[in-house]
Amino acid sequence: MKDKHIIICVGRQLGSGGHDIARMLAMDFNANYYDRELLNLAAKESGFSEKFFEENDEKKGFFKSLFNMQAPHLGGTSSLYRTNFSQESLFQFQSDAIRKAAEEGSCVFVGRCADYVLRDMPNVVKVFITASMRSRIDKLLAQRSMTPQQAKRYILQAEEKRASYYNYYTGKTWGAAESYDLCIDSSILGLEETEKLIADFIRKQLDV
């Protein structure tokens, strides 16, 4: 198992524990873990600052924000004119970073359309993690000072943006079963047992 190059792409609803499960999967399969780390890789690939990628992370239609950025974000104002920049450029930089990381070894990627970017690579498993709205609200309330109504509104607004980004760049539907190999509700078994079930599925699917 340790010698086989595997790629796990994890999509997740906000508050589903997808990040924690992805980290456990990375440990289980001795794989590199990439979530916000991708922003740093993309920044290095592009020459833009990491802050620029952070502010536009998983957002569609971010090109207009470029013109409001200060020089430190762009690595110098002249970099705009040295680059054939389009609305899709940031996505392309991030996609290049994803492919480069995937080619170097086993990886677990969280979000950022990695399942689509790596669709032609072998040994790729696409997982989507959901959870009940009640459990997701409870998790958010434990982290932030807000009412349940505010938490639900925050979740729905964040997921609308996340879905818009994914649907726009992949031509698929975020969270739809046909877009993934496995969809699972983490609120049923809990994070650890959910991770074990996913890991077992991956081992059977990839014969590792």
Side-chain angles (χ1 to χ4, degrees):
M1 179 179 71
K2 292 182 179 179
D3 296 328
K4 192 162 188 176
H5 188 154
I6 65 171
I7 304 297
I8 304 169
C9 300
V10 179
R12 74 289 181 216
Q13 287 188 317
L14 186 66
S16 67
H19 297 277
D20 295 328
I21 291 171
R23 288 191 187 94
M24 288 188 275
L25 287 168
M27 293 181 63
D28 209 346
F29 288 93
N30 193 31
N32 293 318
Y33 171 84
Y34 292 102
D35 183 5
R36 296 186 68 82
E37 293 83 357
L38 283 171
L39 305 181
N40 179 259
L41 292 178
K44 289 180 179 178
E45 288 289 315
S46 66
F48 290 88
S49 78
E50 185 176 352
K51 185 174 178 61
F52 188 35
F53 285 88
E54 288 177 351
E55 293 178 354
N56 295 289
D57 189 25
E58 292 192 301
K59 295 178 183 176
K60 177 179 72 69
F62 42 65
F63 182 53
K64 61 181 180 296
S65 68
L66 175 66
F67 298 100
N68 296 321
M69 305 297 287
Q70 299 299 316
H73 293 84
L74 302 174
T77 53
S78 62
S79 65
L80 173 60
Y81 304 101
R82 293 198 306 269
T83 304
N84 182 20
F85 206 93
S86 69
Q87 185 169 342
E88 277 66 41
S89 291
L90 290 184
F91 178 77
Q92 188 60 54
F93 288 135
Q94 186 167 266
S95 298
D96 290 343
I98 289 171
R99 279 188 286 267
K100 183 175 181 180
E103 289 168 359
E104 292 176 352
S106 294
C107 298
V108 176
F109 295 102
V110 178
R112 297 167 183 85
C113 303
D115 59 310
Y116 176 77
V117 173
L118 302 175
R119 62 194 181 280
D120 295 325
M121 282 194 69
N123 301 326
V124 175
V125 181
K126 304 177 292 292
V127 179
F128 191 82
I129 300 171
T130 70
S132 68
M133 179 58 76
R134 180 68 263 171
S135 69
R136 292 191 287 144
I137 288 174
D138 288 343
K139 185 168 185 178
L140 203 59
L141 293 178
Q143 298 171 342
R144 299 168 181 258
S145 176
M146 55 175 59
T147 66
Q149 292 76 17
Q150 290 172 328
K152 183 176 182 178
R153 185 164 57 250
Y154 179 88
I155 289 170
L156 294 176
Q157 290 175 345
E159 291 191 343
E160 182 180 359
K161 293 178 182 177
R162 187 175 288 176
S164 177
Y165 175 87
Y166 182 89
N167 298 348
Y168 177 80
Y169 284 109
T170 69
K172 301 193 296 179
T173 302
W174 181 80
E178 60 266 25
S179 297
Y180 309 91
D181 299 310
L182 176 68
C183 296
I184 188 166
D185 185 334
S186 64
S187 60
I188 296 175
L189 298 177
L191 300 189
E192 292 187 1
E193 290 301 317
T194 298
E195 189 276 336
K196 290 178 182 178
L197 192 154
I198 295 171
D200 186 51
F201 174 85
I202 292 169
R203 292 187 181 99
K204 290 179 178 179
Q205 181 172 339
L206 300 183
D207 191 25
V208 294

